């Protein structure tokens, strides 16, 4: 167990988190930070000022501000302003292309600063563990020159999704008796991404980091054991660890931040409520929302529907729009439906 010393001596081990600047990525590595902190290991969370502010505002289940400063350190790196347009709910490709400039500017301007911070941490610790989002390869590619650094890639998607990407890459080269357990009709990934993001990811895959110790997944082998075993055939990584779930799984009933929808949910029988949420990067058109509403009505099931616009690159800029749910939901529905702003307010 690592111990932080306050007498000027080195830390034994410190961990540096380098997340990708999108909510689903930022949030997972912040939750992983909480787990690392439970072993009394200091954590350094690195990112742009805007995105660190975002993830700290939105964290649920625990309060990072309540953690002593000697154990978790947020390194807010200033980057130039970037264009932050609203999402297009009528776009043909549902990928959040409006976030691309946020991705590009963040990665371009984090490279040098993150490298310097990691070198500084390495000078004051016996070992630095770098856990970086797979998409942030470019930002941490100089870690190989730090002799006391150990590096792990974090895969932000499920093992099933990672295997889907692996199938696209390796195809018939995957050799495992488990392949017979894979559904025959896995949807194609074609058309899921914008051309710009596909080019962006090609540049990520082109970076070959030979010093990576392995990959970390926010999943459990109890749930995704088959896909974890199949994903282990990826020659790019040596070892694979399923360490999830990262997020707190115990809900404090006295938590003052507990959403009022839980009062409604607590009155429903177990396994009787459907949750509908498309996350922080999907913007639905009015036609799509209407079709979902019709389906929920006809299902005659209790449901919680979270409806929101997709995040902008900078969620603190003006212009978020609340979806008027009463346009689609009325009292005849067995529902607790609410809309949220694409911001932390």
């Amino acid at each position: 167990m690592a111990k932080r010393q306050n007498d000027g001596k080195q830390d034994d081990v410190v961990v540096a988190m380098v997340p990708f600047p999108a909510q689903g990525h930022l949030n997972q590595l912040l939750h992983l930070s909480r787990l690392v902190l439970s072993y009394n290991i200091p954590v350094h969370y690195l990112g742009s000022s805007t995105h660190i502010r975002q993830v700290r505002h939105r964290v649920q289940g625990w309060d990072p501000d309540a953690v002593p400063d000697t154990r978790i350190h947020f390194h807010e790196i200033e980057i130039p302003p970037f264009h932050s347009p609203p999402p297009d709910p009528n776009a043909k490709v549902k990928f959040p292309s409006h976030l691309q400039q946020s991705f590009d500017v963040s990665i371009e301007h984090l490279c040098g600063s993150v490298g310097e911070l990691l070198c500084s941490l390495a000078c004051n610790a016996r070992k630095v563990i770098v856990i970086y989002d797979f998409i942030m390869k470019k930002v941490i590619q100089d870690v190989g020159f730090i002799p006391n650094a150990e590096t792990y890639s974090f895969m932000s998607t499920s093992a099933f999704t990672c295997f889907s990407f692996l199938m696209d890459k390796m195809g018939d080269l995957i050799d495992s008796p488990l392949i017979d357990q894979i559904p025959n009709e896995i949807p194609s990934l074609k058309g899921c991404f914008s051309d710009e993001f596909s080019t962006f990811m090609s540049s990520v895959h082109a970076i070959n980091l030979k010093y990576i110790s392995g990959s970390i997944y926010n999943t459990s082998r109890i749930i995704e054991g088959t896909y974890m075993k199949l994903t282990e055939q990826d020659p790019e990584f040596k070892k694979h660890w399923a360490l999830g779930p990262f997020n707190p799984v115990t809900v404090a009933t006295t938590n003052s931040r507990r959403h009022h929808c839980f009062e409604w949910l607590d009155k429903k029988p177990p396994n009787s409520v459907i949750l509908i949420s498309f996350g922080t990067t999907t913007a639905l058109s009015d036609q799509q929302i209407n079709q979902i509403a019709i389906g929920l009505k006809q299902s005659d099931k209790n449901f919680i529907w979270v409806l929101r616009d997709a995040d902008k690159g900078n969620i603190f800029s003006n212009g978020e729009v609340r979806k008027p749910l009463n346009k689609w939901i009325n009292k005849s529905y067995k529902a607790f439906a609410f809309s949220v702003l694409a911001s932390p307010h």
Side-chain angles (χ1 to χ4, degrees), residues 272-276 296 299 301-305:
S272 66
V273 179
I274 302 170
L275 172 65
I276 305 95
L296 290 170
S299 75
K301 301 293 184 182
N302 293 306
F303 64 88
I304 294 177
W305 185 6

Side-chain angles (χ1 to χ4, degrees), residues 113-124 128 142 145-146 148:
S113 297
V114 167
E116 291 175 4
L117 281 168
L118 294 177
C119 286
S120 176
L121 293 175
C123 291
N124 294 284
V128 176
D142 292 336
F145 298 106
I146 302 176
N148 59 331

Side-chain angles (χ1 to χ4, degrees), residues 146-165:
I146 302 176
N148 59 331
E150 194 170 300
T151 311
Y152 297 86
S153 173
F154 168 62
M155 314 304 287
S156 64
T157 58
S158 65
F160 170 79
T161 302
C162 290
F163 172 69
S164 298
F165 287 121

Side-chain angles (χ1 to χ4, degrees), residues 173-243:
L173 295 177
I174 297 177
D175 182 20
S176 171
L178 294 173
I179 202 72
D180 293 335
Q181 300 181 29
I182 305 305
N184 294 324
E185 299 180 359
I186 295 179
S188 170
L189 296 173
K190 185 177 181 181
C192 292
F193 305 103
S194 65
D195 292 341
E196 191 175 14
F197 188 76
S198 295
T199 300
F200 169 80
M201 285 305 300
S202 294
S203 69
V204 171
H205 288 292
I207 301 173
N208 186 13
L209 303 181
K210 297 183 181 298
Y211 48 81
I212 305 303
S213 297
S215 295
I216 295 172
Y217 298 77
N218 184 6
T219 189
S220 166
R221 288 185 182 270
I222 296 175
I223 298 173
E224 290 197 293
T226 296
Y227 295 104
M228 283 298 301
K229 290 178 181 178
L230 287 165
T231 302
E232 286 168 357
Q233 296 198 37
D234 190 340
E236 186 172 351
F237 302 106
K238 299 177 182 178
K239 296 181 179 180
H240 301 254
W241 288 275
L243 304 182

Side-chain angles (χ1 to χ4, degrees), residues 270-306:
N271 303 317
S272 66
V273 179
I274 302 170
L275 172 65
I276 305 95
S277 176
F278 292 91
T280 59
T281 59
T282 300
L284 299 175
S285 67
D286 284 359
Q287 182 180 11
Q288 290 171 318
I289 295 171
N290 187 57
Q291 289 301 309
I292 293 171
I294 291 172
L296 290 170
K297 172 67 174 178
Q298 293 177 349
S299 75
D300 199 34
K301 301 293 184 182
N302 293 306
F303 64 88
I304 294 177
W305 185 6
V306 183

Side-chain angles (χ1 to χ4, degrees), residues 35-337:
L35 295 181
V36 173
L37 288 170
S38 69
Y39 291 91
N40 200 31
I41 299 174
V43 174
H44 296 258
Y45 190 96
L46 287 59
S48 75
S49 300
T50 297
H51 294 111
I52 286 184
R53 181 186 172 197
Q54 171 181 324
V55 73
R56 293 180 73 173
H57 263 283
R58 288 180 168 178
V59 67
Q60 296 289 325
W62 67 293
D63 184 2
D65 293 328
V67 176
D69 290 340
T70 55
R71 296 178 63 204
I72 185 168
H73 306 259
F74 291 95
H75 297 268
E76 300 187 15
I77 300 169
E78 294 295 335
I79 63 172
F82 51 82
H83 184 47
S84 184
D88 178 7
N90 298 303
K92 184 177 180 180
V93 176
K94 284 300 179 182
F95 185 81
S97 303
H98 64 288
L99 298 178
Q100 189 65 52
Q101 187 169 132
S102 169
F103 302 159
D104 293 340
V105 172
S106 296
I107 290 176
E108 179 183 355
H109 291 277
L110 287 175
C111 286
S113 297
V114 167
E116 291 175 4
L117 281 168
L118 294 177
C119 286
S120 176
L121 293 175
C123 291
N124 294 284
R126 180 182 63 82
K127 179 173 286 189
V128 176
I129 306 297
V130 180
I131 301 176
Y132 73 98
D133 193 295
F134 175 79
I135 305 177
M136 300 297 277
K137 274 186 179 181
K138 182 178 179 180
V139 174
I140 61 93
Q141 60 185 330
D142 292 336
V143 173
F145 298 106
I146 302 176
N148 59 331
E150 194 170 300
T151 311
Y152 297 86
S153 173
F154 168 62
M155 314 304 287
S156 64
T157 58
S158 65
F160 170 79
T161 302
C162 290
F163 172 69
S164 298
F165 287 121
L166 186 62
M167 280 190 65
D168 274 4
K169 181 171 70 173
M170 296 182 63
D172 294 337
L173 295 177
I174 297 177
D175 182 20
S176 171
L178 294 173
I179 202 72
D180 293 335
Q181 300 181 29
I182 305 305
N184 294 324
E185 299 180 359
I186 295 179
S188 170
L189 296 173
K190 185 177 181 181
C192 292
F193 305 103
S194 65
D195 292 341
E196 191 175 14
F197 188 76
S198 295
T199 300
F200 169 80
M201 285 305 300
S202 294
S203 69
V204 171
H205 288 292
I207 301 173
N208 186 13
L209 303 181
K210 297 183 181 298
Y211 48 81
I212 305 303
S213 297
S215 295
I216 295 172
Y217 298 77
N218 184 6
T219 189
S220 166
R221 288 185 182 270
I222 296 175
I223 298 173
E224 290 197 293
T226 296
Y227 295 104
M228 283 298 301
K229 290 178 181 178
L230 287 165
T231 302
E232 286 168 357
Q233 296 198 37
D234 190 340
E236 186 172 351
F237 302 106
K238 299 177 182 178
K239 296 181 179 180
H240 301 254
W241 288 275
L243 304 182
F246 293 170
N247 57 295
V249 294
T250 301
V251 178
T253 56
T254 58
N255 189 342
S256 60
R257 298 178 64 184
R258 193 171 188 252
H259 196 279
H260 53 282
C261 77
F262 287 111
E263 297 178 7
W264 178 88
L265 181 61
D266 288 343
K267 299 174 183 177
K268 303 303 176 186
N271 303 317
S272 66
V273 179
I274 302 170
L275 172 65
I276 305 95
S277 176
F278 292 91
T280 59
T281 59
T282 300
L284 299 175
S285 67
D286 284 359
Q287 182 180 11
Q288 290 171 318
I289 295 171
N290 187 57
Q291 289 301 309
I292 293 171
I294 291 172
L296 290 170
K297 172 67 174 178
Q298 293 177 349
S299 75
D300 199 34
K301 301 293 184 182
N302 293 306
F303 64 88
I304 294 177
W305 185 6
V306 183
L307 184 60
R308 50 164 293 153
D309 270 341
D311 279 348
K312 299 201 300 184
N314 180 355
I315 66 168
F316 300 99
S317 61
N318 295 326
E320 288 78 21
V321 178
R322 183 185 296 270
K323 293 285 189 181
L325 266 174
N326 57 2
K327 181 177 179 180
W328 293 279
I329 302 296
N330 57 49
K331 293 182 180 180
S332 66
Y333 282 70
K334 296 180 178 180
F336 191 105

